[in-house]
C-alpha cells in the first residue's frame, strides 16, 4: 500500500476518536461520496470516448419531458427510433456528440426541453463469442475489446483440459490478404506470452479453445460444453444430431439459452462456427436448427443472464473504491 495512503489513514485514525459518533459517520459518508464521484467520472469519461455501433442499446433521458425517456437499440443501419423524432443515425457518434444533436432536434419541437442525457445500457457492437474448453463459454460485450488473455479470463478462464497451444480466433469478416482463422499459442502462460504475439481481435470474432482430449482418441468424438448437466466428450455414433447430443449430455440446465447454441467445426482451412436456435426447433418446429454432427464438432450451450464481461469490468473499475471503503470502515471501528 502506498506510503501516502498509509500516512493519511493513520492521521485520520488518530483524529477521528476525538470526534463524536455523528461526526465520524459524516466524515465516512463524505469520503465514500467523493470516491464514488471519482469512480463515476472515470466511467463517464470512458463512455464519452466510446463510439456507438450496430447492436448497442442506449438509454435516452429527455430533461423536461420524462415521457420521452426510452431505451432503444441501434439497428443494422446504425439508426435508433426515438419518440417524436423517428429514425435517426446514431452509429459513429460518441454519447456527447449524440446528446448535443438530440438536444437540438428536440428543442426545435419543444423549447421547454433543456437537454438530453445518454448512457450505454449494452455494448453489443463490441462483442466476441468464446467457445470450447473455458469455464463459462458464451458471448461477451465490452466498451473496448481487451486482449485475448483478458477475454479468456472474462469467460472464467481455461478448464484444466484446455489445449492452450492451439487457441483459434475466427474473424467474422474475411479481409483480403489476411487469414480468417488465426491460431495462437498461449501454452507459456499469461506472464511469458509476448503481447505482440497475440492476434488483434475484432468485433464479432469467435474464440475457440480446444480440449486436449480432442487430440487423443478423437476419431469419433464430439464435445458438449456449457449449460448442460454432464458436459464432456461423447461418441458421434451416440449422438448424430445436436438434439441427441444435448440428450446424452444430460439435457440443458434451467438457465441454458437454447436460442444461441453454437457449433464449432474444424475444417482443413480452419474452424467454422454456427449459431442455432434450438428453442425454435423444439417449440416452433424449425427443423433447420437440428444439424447433423461430424467428428470433432464442439457444441456450446451458453447461459442466460447479464454479460459476465460487463460484471467483471464493473468490478475491476470499482475495486479501488470498494477497497478504500472497507479500509475506512475498519479505521472508524
Amino acid at each position: 500500500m502506498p506510503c501516502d495512503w498509509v500516512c493519511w489513514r493513520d492521521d485520520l485514525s488518530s483524529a477521528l476518536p476525538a470526534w463524536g459518533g455523528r461526526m465520524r459517520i459524516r466524515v465516512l459518508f463524505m469520503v465514500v461520496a467523493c470516491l464514488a464521484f471519482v469512480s463515476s467520472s472515470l466511467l463517464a469519461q470512458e463512455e464519452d470516448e466510446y463510439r456507438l455501433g450496430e447492436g448497442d442499446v442506449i438509454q435516452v433521458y429527455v430533461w423536461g419531458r420524462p415521457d420521452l425517456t426510452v431505451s432503444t437499440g441501434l439497428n443494422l443501419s446504425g439508426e435508433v427510433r426515438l419518440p417524436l423524432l423517428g429514425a435517426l443515425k446514431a452509429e459513429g457518434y460518441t454519447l456527447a456528440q449524440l446528446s448535443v444533436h438530440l438536444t437540438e432536434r428536440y428543442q426545435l419541437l419543444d423549447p421547454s426541453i433543456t437537454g438530453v442525457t445518454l448512457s450505454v445500457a449494452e455494448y453489443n457492437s463490441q462483442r466476441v463469442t468464446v467457445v470450447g474448453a473455458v469455464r463459462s463459454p458464451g458471448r461477451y460485450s465490452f466498451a473496448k475489446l481487451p486482449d485475448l488473455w483478458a477475454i479468456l479470463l472474462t469467460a472464467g478462464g481455461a478448464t484444466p483440459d484446455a489445449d492452450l497451444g492451439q487457441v483459434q480466433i475466427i474473424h467474422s469478416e474475411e479481409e483480403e490478404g489476411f487469414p480468417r482463422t488465426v491460431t495462437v499459442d498461449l501454452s507459456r502462460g499469461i506472464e511469458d506470452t509476448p503481447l505482440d504475439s497475440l492476434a488483434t481481435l475484432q468485433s464479432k470474432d469467435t474464440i475457440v479453445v480446444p480440449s486436449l482430449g480432442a487430440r487423443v482418441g478423437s476419431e469419433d468424438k464430439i464435445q458438449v460444453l456449457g449449460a448442460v448437466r454432464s458436459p464432456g466428450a461423447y461418441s458421434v455414433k451416440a449422438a448424430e444430431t445436436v438434439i441427441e447430443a444435448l440428450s446424452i449430455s444430460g439435457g440443458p440446465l434451467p438457465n441454458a439459452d437454447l436460442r444461441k447454441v453454437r457449433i464449432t467445426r474444424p475444417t482443413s482451412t480452419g474452424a467454422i462456427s454456427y449459431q442455432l436456435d434450438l428453442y425454435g426447433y423444439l417449440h416452433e418446429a424449425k427443423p433447420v436448427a437440428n444439424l447433423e454432427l461430424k467428428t470433432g464438432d464442439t457444441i456450446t450451450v451458453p447461459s442466460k443472464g447479464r454479460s459476465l464481461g460487463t460484471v467483471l469490468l464493473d468490478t475491476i473499475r470499482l475495486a479501488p473504491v470498494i477497497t478504500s471503503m472497507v479500509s475506512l470502515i475498519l479505521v472508524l471501528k
Side-chain angles (χ1 to χ4, degrees), residues 99-301:
S99 175
V100 172
H101 180 59
L102 295 182
T103 298
E104 293 174 349
R105 295 291 300 270
Y106 270 123
Q107 286 180 338
L108 291 175
L109 301 175
D110 185 351
S112 68
I113 293 175
T114 57
V116 176
T117 300
L118 304 175
S119 63
V120 180
E122 298 178 22
Y123 292 97
N124 292 329
S125 67
Q126 298 296 313
R127 66 180 184 269
V128 294
T129 300
V130 186
V131 299
V134 292
R135 299 185 187 280
S136 300
R139 177 180 292 179
Y140 297 94
S141 300
F142 305 88
K144 180 180 179 181
L145 287 180
D147 61 41
L148 181 57
W149 272 116
I151 289 178
L152 293 184
L153 292 174
T154 301
T159 59
D161 64 337
D163 184 1
L164 292 179
Q166 299 289 326
V167 176
Q168 290 188 319
I169 300 173
I170 307 169
H171 297 308
S172 60
E173 297 180 359
E174 191 169 2
E175 295 184 27
E176 186 176 354
F178 294 91
R180 184 167 186 178
T181 300
V182 179
T183 301
V184 182
D185 182 4
L186 302 179
S187 60
R188 287 174 290 178
I190 190 170
E191 294 183 355
D192 297 324
T193 302
L195 291 179
D196 56 7
S197 69
L198 300 179
T200 301
L201 294 171
Q202 304 169 7
S203 179
K204 302 179 184 178
D205 281 355
T206 297
I207 300 167
V208 183
V209 183
S211 170
L212 288 170
R215 288 188 180 184
V216 182
S218 61
E219 56 276 2
D220 70 337
K221 297 292 185 181
I222 59 170
Q223 295 257 350
V224 186
L225 304 171
V228 293
R229 299 187 185 280
S230 301
Y234 296 91
S235 171
V236 72
K237 297 177 182 178
E240 297 182 353
T241 67
V242 181
I243 295 296
E244 291 178 3
L246 292 186
S247 177
I248 64 172
S249 61
L253 295 174
N255 66 333
D257 189 351
L258 294 180
R259 291 193 181 276
K260 298 178 181 178
V261 174
R262 188 168 290 273
I263 293 183
T264 304
R265 176 169 294 171
T267 69
S268 58
T269 58
I272 58 176
S273 185
Y274 307 92
Q275 182 171 300
L276 306 178
D277 180 6
L278 291 188
Y279 182 91
Y281 171 80
L282 294 171
H283 298 278
E284 301 167 6
K286 296 180 179 178
V288 69
N290 192 23
L291 291 181
E292 292 187 3
L293 298 176
K294 295 183 179 181
T295 297
D297 283 353
T298 298
I299 301 110
T300 304
V301 183

